[in-house]
Each structure stands twice: as structure tokens, then as C-alpha cells.
């Protein structure tokens, strides 16, 4: 079920378009939230009176700066970096840093906007923000990445703090990059402020299970969606896009819950292994050797590699898009349904196009939007912040227990909110509305700021 765009919201959306020209991903993210909020304004007219939606669509702060750095040959390069501190009604800005050539202001604003509602759904005291750079870490040496990170932090440090803005990793930013960034922050500020970054190494303030959290969380959410319909992941054939951190640990958790993941991908193509992806081999290739996924077939002769095609062409029961935005199109959605797909959960941020979402909703299959399904990563980041604040370190078992509780609570909140607003089973509406109401109430309480 999809609600008609409320007439009160149309001028607000047009204002977003005119104030933010050329930012297609941000426009898409705003539209997908606004078109679900009509029933909210009908029930809570005070949100319209106080212009909560207009305020929530405008970042509290946008920072853009240049990052000059030298490569190993002494040549100077100039990149552009961003930090969009979107909304702090619920806590300090919280969101990752993305290093990728595609990064521009519109990408960061879309990610930051999504982060507001995702973070609200966790029930933890964190606001929404995002950052990154058009720097490409692929093919760079460790010393070049260190040089870039240290240069970036010379500007970014002044905007951060455990009570102000807490970055983490994202595409192109893993524990190596977080280490260089945190080290430079510590050097500049002369403070060992562990809580200012999450995704740190275990030996210096990191949280156990943080690496696994996003992938584990999306599978837990998928299991809860299926359970709500009297089904489960047991015996299901699963296809995952991507082969990075989120995809790898989604595969691990899906196998643990009795499913068989038969395909995964990278930017070059995808592998199909009908007996189930060999997780230890995949980790060796991607996490240790940092090689292309095509190498998998050199070790597993029964597997096949398909170059330059869509992984969604492989018949499956469950699809988990875990790569990047708008990777699953309307055409892909139709193909998945024709091949019998029962459930889709987004492990990446906005990986399904608007047309794809519409097709899944019209077919009434389980569809878990990213702001709910992939909230496990930021939830565990918030748990890392708690541990840093209390100078504590929790066991992996305890952290995973908390992660599972949070993901189940997020599912319950989305499911019950959708039902309350007359859209049973519509997790898109449930996630948007539940997250929005929590932020809106906090904004209302704090006045016009």
C-alpha cells in the first residue's frame, strides 16, 4: 500500500527541490519520506504548525572544504570533503564517512537525511549526520591514505566531539582509515576522546561485534519480517549484492539461521555457488587479500563468475541489496518477483529505486527499508559510544544480544506504526513515521532552534 502525496506536503517538497538543485539522491530520499507523512500531519497538526518538516529537511550545518595531500611520488592532489550535520534533536550528530569518487554534496545530504530516521529508530540518543570525500582509496598505498586522512582531519577535527558529532566508517572507510583519522584528532586536540569516533580497533576503544553488526542486523530484521508472516529463513536461498563488510556478515548470519546464500557480487560482476558461498574463502579474498571476487572461482571450480551483469537475475527466496544506492531497479524487482522472491531487506542505504519499492509493495512481499533493516551498524556504534563513556568493554556475546534486542524492537516499532496508520505490513511507512515522530516530538519540545 502506498499513500498519495498529501497536498500540504507538495509545496514543501517543491521548496526542497528549489533550495537544493541538482541533488537527485537527496530529492529521492526526501520524497520517499514525505509521501508517507500525510497521515501523521492529520493526526498531529502541531507538527505542521511548527514547520517541523521544513526544519527537518534543512541541515543544521553543512561543511565543505578542500583536502590537499601528497602521494608517494611527491605529487600534490586536491580533493573535496563534506560533513553535513543534519539534526541533533536526539543527540550528537552520528553517521559515517564515505571515501568514493561519486561523493558530492547531494550524496552526503541523502545519507545524512536517512541517518536522522535510522538513528531515531534505534531508540538510542543519537542525531543524524554524514560526511565523506571524493577521494578514492582504491589503488592507494597505506602511506597515501594516511597522508589524506591526516590532511582531512586538520579541518574536520574542529567540528567533532563526543557530545557534538561522532563519525564512523562507510564505503571506503574501514578500521585502517578510522585509525589514521583518530590518531590525527588525538594529536591535534591532545585528548584521548575515544567516543569521538566509532568503528575503532578492539585494542583502542572499539566495540566487539561492530564489524558484523550491519550485516547481522539486516538478517535479523529479515527473519522478523518473515516470522510476522509465519515463515523463517530456514532453508531459504538468498542472494546478496556486494562483498564488502555488510555483505560478508549478512552471509554469515544468514547461514547461521539456516539459509543458503548462493550469490554475491562486486563492481565487476558476481559469483554463483549453488552449494552455498564459502565464507572463509570470501573473507580471505576480500578482507585479507583485497582482490576481485572473480578470484573465487579459481579455488571453487564448481562456482561460476558472471561479469558485468546483475546479481538479481539469480532466482532466490530472499534478496539482500548490500552494496550502494539505487542498485536494485524496477526491472530487477520484476525479475526477482518472477523468480519467486519472498522478501527483500536493504543492507545498504537506499539501494532500491522508487520504482522497485513500488513494485515490491504492490506485490505485498516483505520489504525492509534501509533506515530500519540496516540500522544495526549505527546501533552498535552507539553501544561503542556507551562503552567509551563508561571506560568499559563488553563481550561479543553481550553486544550481539543488545544488537538482537534493538533490531527486534525496530521491527516491532515499524510493524506496529504501520498498523496504527492503516498500512499493515508497510515497513517503509512504519519506519519513516516511527522515526519522524520521535524526532518531531524532540524538536517540538526544544522550541524553534
Amino acid at each position: 500500500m502506498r499513500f498519495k502525496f498529501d497536498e500540504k506536503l507538495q509545496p514543501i517538497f517543491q521548496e526542497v527541490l528549489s533550495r537544493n538543485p541538482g541533488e537527485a539522491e537527496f530529492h529521492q530520499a526526501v520524497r520517499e519520506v514525505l509521501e508517507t507523512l500525510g497521515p501523521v500531519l492529520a493526526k498531529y497538526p502541531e507538527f505542521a504548525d511548527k514547520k517541523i518538516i521544513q526544519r527537518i529537511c534543512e541541515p543544521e550545518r553543512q561543511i565543505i572544504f578542500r583536502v590537499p595531500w601528497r602521494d608517494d611520488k611527491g605529487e600534490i592532489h586536491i580533493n573535496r570533503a563534506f560533513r553535513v550535520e543534519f539534526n541533533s534533536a536526539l543527540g550528537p550528530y552520528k553517521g559515517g564517512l564515505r571515501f568514493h569518487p561519486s561523493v558530492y554534496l547531494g550524496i552526503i545530504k541523502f545519507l545524512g537525511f536517512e541517518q536522522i530516521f535510522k538513528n531515531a529508530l534505534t531508540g538510542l540518543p543519537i542525531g543524524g549526520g554524514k560526511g565523506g570525500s571524493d577521494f578514492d582509496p582504491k589503488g592507494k598505498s597505506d602511506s597515501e591514505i594516511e597522508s589524506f586522512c591526516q590532511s582531512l582531519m586538520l579541518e574536520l577535527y574542529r567540528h567533532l566531539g563526543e557530545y557534538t558529532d561522532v563519525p564512523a566508517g562507510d564505503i571506503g572507510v574501514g578500521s585502517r582509515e578510522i585509525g589514521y583519522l583518530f590518531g590525527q584528532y588525538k594529536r591535534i586536540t591532545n585528548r584521548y576522546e575515544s567516543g569521538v569516533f566509532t568503528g575503532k580497533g578492539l585494542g583502542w576503544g572499539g566495540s566487539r561485534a561492530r564489524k558484523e553488526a550491519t550485516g547481522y542486523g539486516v538478517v535479523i530484521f529479515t527473519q522478523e519480517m518473515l516470522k510476522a508472516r509465519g515463515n523463517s529463513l530456514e532453508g531459504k536461498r538468498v542472494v546478496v549484492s556486494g562483498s564488502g563488510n555488510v555483505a560478508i556478515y549478512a552471509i554469515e548470519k544468514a547461514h547461521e539461521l539456516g539459509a543458503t546464500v548462493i550469490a554475491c557480487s562486486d563492481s565487476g560482476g558476481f559469483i554463483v555457488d549453488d552449494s552455498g558461498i564459502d565464507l572463509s574463502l570470501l573473507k580471505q579474498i576480500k578482507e585479507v587479500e583485497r582482490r576481485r571476487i572473480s578470484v573465487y572461482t579459481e579455488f571453487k571450480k564448481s562456482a561460476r563468475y558472471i561479469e558485468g551483469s546483475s546479481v538479481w537475475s539469480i532466482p532466490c527466496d530472499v534478496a539482500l541489496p548490500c552494496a550502494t544506492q539505487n542498485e536494485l531497479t524496477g526491472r530487477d524487482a520484476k525479475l526477482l518477483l518472477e523468480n519467486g522472491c519472498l522478501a527483500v531487506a536493504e543492507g545498504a542505504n537506499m539501494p532500491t529505486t522508487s520504482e522497485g519499492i513500488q513494485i515490491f509493495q504492490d506485490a505485498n512481499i516483505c520489504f525492509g527499508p534501509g533506515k530500519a533493516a540496516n540500522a544495526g551498524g549505527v546501533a552498535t556504534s552507539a553501544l561503542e559510544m556507551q562503552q567509551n563513556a563508561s571506560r568499559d568493554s563488553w563481550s561479543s556475546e553481550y553486544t550481539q544480544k543488545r544488537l538482537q534486542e534493538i533490531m527486534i524492537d525496530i521491527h516491532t516499532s515499524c510493524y506496529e506504526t504501520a498498523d496504527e496508520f492503516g498500512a499493515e505490513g508497510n515497513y517503509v511507512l512504519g519506519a519513516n513515521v516511527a522515526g519522524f515522530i520521535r524526532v518531531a516530538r524532540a524538536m517540538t519540545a526544544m522550541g524553534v532552534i
Side-chain angles (χ1 to χ4, degrees), residues 1-4 32 35 354-355 357-358 361 426:
M1 179 179 181
R2 191 162 185 171
F3 283 91
K4 183 181 177 182
E32 288 182 4
E35 65 186 7
S354 297
E355 182 187 6
I357 293 171
Q358 181 69 71
Q361 290 185 321
N426 187 331

Side-chain angles (χ1 to χ4, degrees), residues 299-407:
F299 299 92
K300 283 289 290 290
K301 300 301 182 183
S302 59
R304 61 189 189 277
Y305 174 71
I306 302 170
E307 186 175 1
S309 187
S310 171
V311 72
W312 310 123
S313 62
I314 302 302
C316 63
D317 303 306
V318 176
L320 303 178
C322 296
T324 191
Q325 66 269 7
N326 291 325
E327 58 167 298
L328 201 164
T329 65
R331 181 182 176 184
D332 296 326
K334 289 176 184 176
L335 191 56
L336 282 167
L337 292 178
E338 288 170 5
N339 286 331
C341 186
L342 305 171
V344 177
E346 297 185 323
N349 293 299
M350 206 170 71
T352 311
T353 65
S354 297
E355 182 187 6
I357 293 171
Q358 181 69 71
I359 289 166
F360 290 140
Q361 290 185 321
D362 289 346
N364 196 33
I365 72 163
C366 297
F367 177 76
K371 60 175 64 70
N374 73 28
V378 75
T380 308
S381 283
L383 299 180
E384 183 175 329
M385 292 165 67
Q386 288 183 22
Q387 293 171 79
N388 295 155
S390 62
R391 304 294 191 268
D392 200 358
S393 179
W394 302 341
S395 68
S396 180
E397 291 75 17
Y398 180 74
T399 306
Q400 287 190 49
K401 177 174 177 288
R402 292 282 288 118
L403 170 64
Q404 176 139 343
E405 291 168 350
I406 290 167
M407 294 309 301

Side-chain angles (χ1 to χ4, degrees), residues 19-76:
R19 289 171 68 91
N20 305 274
E23 298 175 358
E25 296 85 359
F26 179 52
H27 300 163
Q28 180 183 344
V30 171
R31 182 182 182 91
E32 288 182 4
V33 171
L34 262 56
E35 65 186 7
T36 62
L37 295 185
V40 180
L41 294 188
K43 187 169 184 177
Y44 302 104
E46 64 271 23
F47 293 159
D49 295 340
K50 296 182 183 299
K51 296 194 174 180
I52 294 296
I53 295 176
Q54 291 92 325
R55 288 157 59 192
I56 215 168
C57 290
E58 184 67 24
E60 293 175 11
R61 190 174 295 108
Q62 301 179 66
I63 302 147
I64 306 175
F65 56 98
R66 74 181 182 203
V67 185
W69 59 281
R70 290 182 189 271
D71 65 20
D72 291 341
K73 297 177 181 177
E75 183 178 347
I76 295 171

